[in-house]
Every structure is written in C-alpha cells, then in structure tokens.
Amino acid sequence: KQSKIGKCGNECKAVIKVCDDVRTSAGESDIAEKLYRGHYTRSSSEFVNALCTKMTSACKNPAKELKKRRKDEGFQPVDEKAWQAKKMTSQMKAAGLRGQMYDRESMLREMGGGDDEEDSGARGGGGGGGAGEEEDAETREHSKWER
C-alpha cells in the first residue's frame, strides 16, 4: 500500500479489469448482501475463497503461464492538487457540467496577464491542467476504489 495516490499503469489497469469482471460475475448486490449478513467475514481469505469458488468460477482454471517475464512497473506518485483537479473535473462531467480546470499559471497565460497584485487572489482553480481522455479513465478507475 502506498501513502500517496499514484498513476495507474498497465498492472493497475489489469487488476482493475479482473476485479470488475469478478464483481460483475458475482453481482454487486449479492456481494453486498453476503457482507451485510456477515457471511464469509471471519477472515479476508474466507471471503476471497467464497468469492473465487462459490459465487463465481473465477478460480476454476489455474492461472496461465506468462510467455515473457513480467516487467515490474515502478510507483509513479501523482501531485495531490492535480489529482483533486482531475477528480473534480470527472465529477463535473458526471453531473452533466462541462468545464476545464486550470491552475493559476495556466489561467494567467491564457489571459495574457502578468503577476500583478490583483492577480494574487485565490483565482487558481485547484491544480494541474485540463484532464484528457486517458486521465479521465484513470480518474474513473481510482474513484471506483475510493468508495
């Protein structure tokens, strides 16, 4: 477990896909019901075993041998302000709002302004530049697991 939010690379995306597939196969409401009723909650391994064998067929076949040696991806932390900006942009889009997030420097560049005293107010917008399609997908992936 990392202490900061990180960029979701290929490894992360693969794990998310597998988890989504298992969650879809088992059914979110069935998983929630089992947890609510206290089934399979004595230990995490008991829950994993039930999810893997009783609620789905995810563990029916053994894992395939990899053809090439897997390359470990290093952790790439994401700037907290940039993450908050991406998250807010994603929430705005989900609410049907359109908008673009800019940090203070980007706003000044767009407006052609300098570093005046009147520009030193809290007009900044909260972090990194606009969020592109890849960043939106990354935000959605991270947000699934924040709930």
Side-chain angles (χ1 to χ4, degrees):
K1 181 167 177 147
Q2 302 292 336
S3 62
K4 292 186 172 193
I5 294 173
K7 182 173 173 39
C8 187
N10 290 330
E11 289 177 354
C12 171
K13 290 174 184 173
V15 170
I16 288 171
K17 182 177 180 347
V18 170
C19 289
D20 281 346
D21 291 348
V22 169
R23 187 183 69 208
T24 301
S25 176
E28 288 182 1
S29 59
D30 290 342
I31 295 170
E33 181 182 355
K34 299 288 185 200
L35 290 173
Y36 178 76
R37 295 184 185 271
H39 298 281
Y40 314 121
T41 56
R42 281 180 283 203
S43 70
S44 61
S45 61
E46 180 186 32
F47 181 72
V48 168
N49 185 45
L51 189 61
C52 187
T53 59
K54 296 178 182 174
M55 298 174 73
T56 69
S57 59
C59 299
K60 186 170 83 173
N61 298 324
K64 295 177 183 176
E65 185 81 24
L66 295 175
K67 293 177 184 173
K68 292 193 271 182
R69 183 161 165 74
R70 182 186 66 82
K71 182 183 174 198
D72 191 27
E73 296 177 344
F75 179 73
Q76 298 175 353
V78 174
D79 177 58
E80 183 67 29
K81 286 184 180 183
W83 170 250
Q84 291 299 330
K86 288 177 195 176
K87 188 174 170 182
M88 183 178 287
T89 303
S90 155
Q91 290 170 343
M92 288 169 56
K93 284 182 181 178
L97 302 172
R98 295 179 184 230
Q100 182 77 31
M101 297 292 294
Y102 293 98
D103 61 10
R104 185 173 191 277
E105 291 78 24
S106 297
M107 285 179 60
L108 288 172
R109 246 189 335 269
E110 290 289 322
M111 296 170 52
D115 198 14
D116 299 341
E117 278 187 37
E118 61 185 87
D119 285 337
S120 64
R123 291 194 314 185
E133 279 301 313
E134 182 179 317
E135 293 170 338
D136 287 343
E138 182 180 322
T139 302
R140 284 191 300 275
E141 289 166 359
H142 282 295
S143 295
K144 287 179 190 175
W145 303 106
E146 282 186 346
R147 294 183 209 145

